[in-house]
Every structure is written in structure tokens, then in C-alpha cells.
Amino acid sequence: MQGSGDTRWEDPRWRLDNLYRITDAEGRRVPFRMNAAQAELFDERHTLNVVLKARQLGFTTLIQLLMLDACLFTPDVRAGTIAHTLGAAEAIFRDKVKFPLENLDPAIRRANPAVADSARTLRFANNSMLRVDTSLRSGTYQYLHVSEFGRIAARTPDKAREIRTGALNAVRTGQTVFIESTAEGREGDFFEICEQARNLARQGRRPSDLDFKYFFFPWWQDPGYRIDPDGVVVGAEDAAYFEGLEAEHGIVLDAEQRAWYARKRSIQRDDMPKEYPATPEEAFRAAVEGAYYARELARARTEGRISAVPCDPGLPVNTFWDLGVDDETAIWFHQQAGLEHRFIDYHAESGEGLAHYARVLRERDYFYGEHYLPHDVEVRSLSTGRSRLDTLKGLGVTPVRVVPRTESVGDGIEAVRSVLSACRFDEVRCGRGLKALEGYRKAWDERRGTFRDRPLHDWSSHGADAFRCFAEGYRPGRGGALGPPARRRSGRAAPPEQWQAIMMKSPYDGPEDYM
């Protein structure tokens, strides 16, 4: 199997580039050779590694070969991979593990044969084991690979939490973990791990054995992502994108790269920033799979309708609410200027009573118009006989418009879609609200492997439901602004002394009256 004194066999890098065969993108059996991105990850790897990537760069292949090689040449290794679906787990095991193993030199296979080969698990004669599954609930691992963790975190947050608290804790300090994925929105465990690792890199700090090292591989670094530009028309939108990359990030693309991107985007369309990002910001700004308002919000960004939107002191500010009991209460702040709807502010919080939110409104110091609340604001407490509507009125939040109960959530979602083209958002003050709209998505049925025809109820639901209150309930031109004319011209709400009197007189101080 190896010549006398041949030390190359002791080097994992040499073994990976010389012993294994894979199938390439065209389905041909070829010797494995690391490409530039794979080589960078291999050479610069840490104990804990998080990889934000473009598609088709070969990281799953590299990581599976690295773990297979460790099992073949080192006794007592435990290596495991978590895939986002059962189908993905089967494909990884078949194509990235079994195929390279079966195409090894027979002498290597005889030296350490697989003594047990069950569904997605290999056990070798040297007591090493490699497993690919959708979860790893038991055992201790020296190598762990979590594939498409962004998708897992977006579709099944409970499963992502199980991986974070279970599988990651099954790898002892100093052992090897690879978490790799394309992006799926700006929330969830994958985003948080990436941000922590990226912040560490920004600070120039060396990661410890308990810190993830951050890797980002954009599409434009891959030499294969280019085509002959002859005959390729680059449209105005793509040209503006290329100019923005150069002006904002110093990324200069040649004609072949621009041609490749233009052709690829004509196929991928709105999914292009997620599948083939040029920057980390672009990757995480891309739409979550199954998101209801992905296309409309992407268009708003392209058209510059998500930017700085100052409050116009001459226009009333309307508010649109979603009331939480055990979870968040969300409030959008809105002004109408002609046919344009301007969202100038957003607030969301949990664990507070209605007096707190009345105070939030007062402290914003806006000149208020109307306050739109969902139908359940009229539900009366069995203990007090009062509704939350009564409480809000007692706190000076008037006039209130009650939005009737929606017959169909789907109709409400369509109402939001139809009005988003007329909306502008302040990117900073409405940042969390925009994240909620971007993250609002269909529930995932893990057993059937498809999206359900209903929304996922998570943190994003509250901001999205408050915005749906706007889409379904707002009717312009009805008047009802608060305060006397002098206050309207000033752009302020009721005088502070009036609010103080309201708050001092209110007998409803207990949280049970306001929740």
C-alpha cells in the first residue's frame, strides 16, 4: 500500500489529493483535487469552523472526504454529519462517502475494511465510524459536519436548537466542527454563529477552541463562474449592481464574470443573492425560503424604498398594532404622503403591560392620527370585566380603530403584497420590523418535506400581523387626528403635562389589566 520510508502517507492533505475519486459536475469519475476554495478551508481550518458560501464550491465533498480519511487512517474516530433532510442525508452518504470508499485502491480497503455497512453508517475494522443522518442525538464525536444549517434554522428552529444544545455539545473541546450553509435570512442560529465569528474576525482576535472561525466564499472568487461575454446583454439592473459592488466594496468584475452573473440571474431571479452572494450582507439580506413577502421587499430595496425616511411634522402618525399576551406586542408607525405610505418607526417588546406601550407612544413625541388594533382588543377580562380597548382609552390612546377579524389569513397576506409597492421604510428605525416582514414565512412540514399552506408562528409573526393590520384596516381620509389644531401644526402629540395627568389618574397599574 505504501513504499518503504514514504512519509507522504502521513500527510492528510496529500492523501486527499491523491487517493480518492469522486464524480464531478458532469457525472464523470475523476481524481479528487482540491479547488482554491476547498484548499483555503482545509489549510486555514480551526477546531470550530462556520462557512457562509455560494453554491457548488464543493465543501460537502471536501468535509466528507476529510472525515472518511480520518476514519480510514486513524483508529477509534467518531465522525458524524447532520443533513437538513433525509433525502440530502442519503445523497451525501451515497455520493460523498460510499462512492469514494468503493473506488479506493483495493489494498487500502483491505487494510481497514468496513465491517458494518448499514443505512447511512459505516463502521471500520479499526473501530472508527462515520454516520450521516438528520440528527445525532447520542455519542461523542471527534468530527461533526452540519450541512445547510441556515436552512435547518429557518425551517425548523427547534431542530436547530437541538443541534446547538445537543450535537455541538457532543464534540469535545479541541475536536473539529464544520457548519456550512448558504444564508437564510438575518435571524436564527446560523446567522448568530456567523455574526459572532465575523465580529471576532473584524476585531483581529484569534478564535479560541470555543470560538468559531468565520469563512466566507463569494461567487466571484470562483474561477469557474465566468462565460464568454460575446452576445450576452447585461441589463441596467445588473450594471447598477456591478457598479455598486465596485463603489461600496471595491469588488471589480471582468466582462466574463459579469456575463456569467447576468445569465445566471436570469434563471435564479430573486434567489440569486442567497445562492450566489457577493458579500455577507447581500447573503443575509436575501429572502428566506418560503417567505411571503420576499419578492416585494427585494423590489423595495432595489427601488430605494428602504432608506432614511424622516418624520414629516405636518402629517399625522398612525399606529398599527399586534397585541401580545405571552409574547411580543408590535407597533408600526405610519404617515401617508399623497399615495405613498411611509413607515417611519417600529417598536416591539414582550413582557410589558399596556401602560408601557402608551408611554412608548408618548415618548416618541409624534403628532398622532389614529391607532389601529386587532379585534381581540375588545375581548373583556373575566376578572375585571374590562377590555384592553377600555384600558388603552383610559391611558389616552385614542382614537382607536378596531380592525375586524380576518376571514382568511391568506387574503390578509395578499392585501399586504398588494400594498407593499406603495410603501417606504426607514431602514434603521424600522429595522426589526423589516426583519419580521422578511422572516415571515410558511410553516415547514418536516415529515412530508414540503411547506404547509399556513404561516409559521414565531417571533416574526407579530411584526407581520401588525403590518397586516395596516393592509386590512387602514382607510385614508377619515380624519380623527389627536389634539387641537395648534398641536397639529407643531407635529407633537398631546402636551406632556396632559399625558402625565392621564398616567397619574389611571387606576389600572397591575400588569394583569394591561396584558
Side-chain angles (χ1 to χ4, degrees):
M1 187 169 65
Q2 71 183 81
S4 176
D6 189 346
T7 60
R8 294 177 301 174
W9 288 78
E10 300 173 7
D11 180 6
R13 172 66 181 270
W14 181 88
R15 295 197 302 263
L16 289 176
D17 267 348
N18 288 275
L19 301 184
Y20 299 96
R21 297 179 68 84
I22 61 169
T23 53
D24 64 11
E26 285 74 38
R28 300 171 301 184
R29 299 187 181 196
V30 296
F32 174 74
R33 298 287 187 274
M34 291 187 202
N35 61 35
Q38 292 169 329
E40 180 180 341
L41 179 60
F42 182 89
D43 293 337
E44 302 296 328
R45 71 191 186 279
H46 179 52
T47 52
L48 304 180
N49 307 276
V50 60
V51 182
L52 174 63
K53 61 173 188 173
R55 287 282 182 203
Q56 302 299 319
L57 296 180
F59 293 119
T60 299
T61 298
L62 170 68
I63 296 167
Q64 293 306 306
L65 289 180
L66 175 64
M67 296 197 303
L68 175 62
D69 183 80
C71 289
L72 285 170
F73 288 88
T74 308
D76 306 319
V77 167
R78 295 293 182 268
T81 293
I82 299 175
H84 64 287
T85 65
L86 180 60
E90 290 172 343
I92 289 172
F93 186 71
R94 179 187 66 241
D95 300 335
K96 313 297 185 183
V97 178
K98 288 293 291 295
F99 182 88
L101 176 64
E102 291 169 354
N103 284 272
L104 267 175
D105 186 305
I108 300 175
R109 296 179 62 190
R110 287 194 299 270
N112 184 21
V115 294
D117 181 353
S118 59
R120 304 182 302 282
T121 301
L122 287 173
R123 187 180 298 276
F124 296 94
N126 66 352
N127 195 40
S128 289
M129 184 191 74
L130 191 155
R131 180 182 175 193
V132 183
D133 213 329
T134 56
S135 66
L136 300 174
R137 292 187 173 88
S138 61
T140 301
Y141 293 86
Q142 288 76 49
Y143 292 87
L144 175 66
H145 172 207
V146 184
S147 177
E148 292 300 337
F149 191 45
R151 186 170 296 183
I152 293 171
R155 291 180 174 178
T156 50
D158 289 344
K159 181 177 175 181
R161 184 177 183 274
E162 177 186 298
I163 291 170
R164 176 168 51 81
T165 61
L168 290 179
N169 287 331
V171 182
R172 292 184 177 177
T173 302
Q175 304 301 316
T176 302
V177 172
F178 292 97
I179 293 177
E180 50 86 15
S181 185
T182 51
E184 285 281 349
R186 293 181 290 169
E187 293 289 335
D189 285 324
F190 180 65
F191 174 78
E192 295 297 333
I193 291 173
C194 280
E195 282 298 284
Q196 291 173 10
R198 193 179 177 202
N199 287 336
L200 201 67
R202 286 193 190 109
Q203 297 164 14
R205 294 168 52 194
R206 183 185 182 89
S208 72
D209 282 346
L210 293 177
D211 294 316
F212 277 89
K213 184 174 181 179
Y214 176 75
F215 293 88
F216 173 62
F217 294 94
W219 71 266
W220 51 268
Q221 284 186 347
D222 190 282
Y225 290 158
R226 55 178 65 240
I227 61 173
D228 184 348
D230 187 36
V232 178
V233 177
V234 176
E237 187 175 336
D238 287 333
Y241 169 73
F242 301 143
E243 291 170 6
L245 288 181
E246 185 169 350
E248 297 174 24
H249 305 284
I251 300 171
V252 180
L253 305 176
D254 60 36
E256 292 181 339
Q257 290 175 305
R258 293 182 179 216
W260 177 89
Y261 187 91
R263 281 286 174 84
K264 195 71 174 179
R265 196 177 77 85
S266 69
I267 300 170
Q268 295 293 312
R269 293 179 290 184
D270 295 336
D271 289 325
M272 194 67 178
K274 178 179 68 174
E275 304 294 344
Y276 297 96
T279 66
E281 292 80 11
E282 179 183 313
F284 283 116
R285 195 170 60 234
V288 176
E289 191 172 3
Y292 285 107
Y293 309 128
R295 184 166 299 177
E296 292 79 10
L297 291 170
R299 186 174 299 116
R301 288 191 182 277
T302 300
E303 295 174 356
R305 290 185 284 111
I306 298 177
S307 56
V309 183
C311 176
D312 185 334
L315 297 175
V317 174
N318 306 299
T319 65
F320 301 89
W321 299 51
D322 179 64
L323 292 170
V325 177
D326 296 322
D327 43 20
E328 275 192 352
T329 287
I331 308 172
W332 286 96
F333 296 77
H334 158 273
Q335 292 183 308
Q336 182 172 359
L339 297 178
E340 183 176 77
H341 299 288
R342 300 174 180 174
F343 289 88
I344 61 169
D345 209 341
Y346 177 83
H347 182 84
E349 207 167 344
S350 59
E352 299 288 350
L354 291 178
H356 171 80
Y357 299 106
R359 189 176 301 112
V360 166
L361 265 61
R362 175 170 56 87
E363 291 172 350
R364 288 296 201 275
D365 202 26
Y366 293 138
F367 152 46
Y368 288 102
E370 298 178 316
H371 304 281
Y372 291 75
L373 287 101
H375 65 94
D376 53 356
V377 73
E378 295 182 306
V379 176
R380 296 190 176 275
S381 167
L382 293 176
S383 60
T384 65
R386 292 179 57 84
S387 69
R388 288 184 286 183
L389 178 59
D390 297 330
T391 300
L392 284 169
K393 287 180 177 179
L395 291 166
V397 180
T398 59
V400 171
R401 299 282 186 182
V402 178
V403 179
R405 183 182 183 88
T406 304
E407 293 297 327
S408 165
V409 174
D411 290 345
I413 290 170
E414 288 305 314
V416 171
R417 284 173 169 157
S418 67
V419 79
L420 276 171
S421 61
C423 296
R424 299 183 70 89
F425 298 88
D426 187 274
E427 188 168 22
V428 176
R429 292 194 300 273
C430 295
R432 181 164 174 79
L434 285 166
K435 283 185 178 180
L437 291 178
E438 290 168 339
Y440 188 56
R441 60 198 184 277
K442 298 177 181 179
W444 176 255
D445 188 329
E446 189 171 10
R447 184 174 63 85
R448 293 176 177 161
T450 187
F451 287 105
R452 297 174 180 170
D453 191 23
R454 63 175 176 79
L456 172 69
H457 183 77
D458 64 0
W459 72 273
S460 69
S461 304
H462 313 295
D465 286 347
F467 198 88
R468 185 153 53 87
C469 190
F470 156 70
E472 294 181 320
Y474 180 63
R475 298 296 180 267
R478 294 195 303 194
L482 292 178
R487 303 310 296 175
R488 295 183 186 182
R489 287 194 298 271
S490 71
R492 300 169 64 87
E497 60 270 18
Q498 179 181 333
W499 274 99
Q500 186 176 8
I502 291 170
M503 299 298 288
M504 291 295 290
K505 290 179 182 178
S506 175
Y508 309 109
D509 297 325
E512 66 276 5
D513 291 309
Y514 307 135
M515 297 300 287

